Amino acid sequence: MKICVTSTGNSLDAQIDPRFGRCSYLVIVDSETMQFEAIPNTAAGATGGAGIQAAQTIASKGVKLLITGNVGPKAFQALAAAGLEIVTGAFGIVRDSVEKFKRGELMKTGTPTVGGHFGMGGKGGGRGVCRP
């Protein structure tokens, strides 16, 4: 099964990024062979719709399951519409999260875990504030 894990780096030993839409990397792992592909998340810098764009990226790669820290409502909706199962609350490194899932230690979620714009940073939505 193809599993996507949100990551701060481009390897199986990288830390899990708790954000889905604005994670640094989408690490796609074959759960049988542990072969992987690390894709830089081009949606991370989007001014809006990052979760939807990231969901489209992993769905187009044939991913069946997402492991992440949190997922917002729009991303959750896009992932569910694409038929992906979602595991939230993950932490640690990518390799361990896949192994934990295979052992049945991670549970799938049926709802978003954060509100919209979670990963964008504090006030101003992380877009910066222009002042004269």
Side-chain angles (χ1 to χ4, degrees), residues 1 18 37 41 82 88 104 131:
M1 171 193 307
E37 173 185 11
N41 182 14
T88 56
R131 300 197 195 267

Side-chain angles (χ1 to χ4, degrees), residues 28-77:
I28 300 172
V29 183
D30 181 318
S31 63
E32 299 300 315
T33 65
M34 294 303 285
Q35 291 184 348
F36 72 97
E37 173 185 11
I39 303 169
N41 182 14
T42 58
T47 57
I52 295 168
Q53 290 175 48
Q56 291 169 340
T57 298
I58 64 173
S60 74
K61 295 285 188 175
V63 170
K64 299 296 178 198
L65 175 84
L66 168 68
I67 299 175
T68 188
N70 292 287
V71 65
K74 291 179 183 176
F76 185 90
Q77 199 171 37

Side-chain angles (χ1 to χ4, degrees), residues 104-118:
E105 296 174 17
L106 298 178
M107 304 303 297
K108 297 171 192 162
T109 187
T111 60
T113 56
V114 293
H117 306 287
F118 166 73

Side-chain angles (χ1 to χ4, degrees), residues 76-106:
F76 185 90
Q77 199 171 37
L79 291 161
L84 275 79
E85 296 181 290
I86 304 162
V87 171
T88 56
F91 58 91
I93 66 170
V94 172
R95 180 188 317 273
D96 290 347
S97 68
V98 174
E99 294 297 338
K100 285 179 185 178
F101 178 76
K102 288 166 54 174
R103 291 191 304 263
E105 296 174 17
L106 298 178

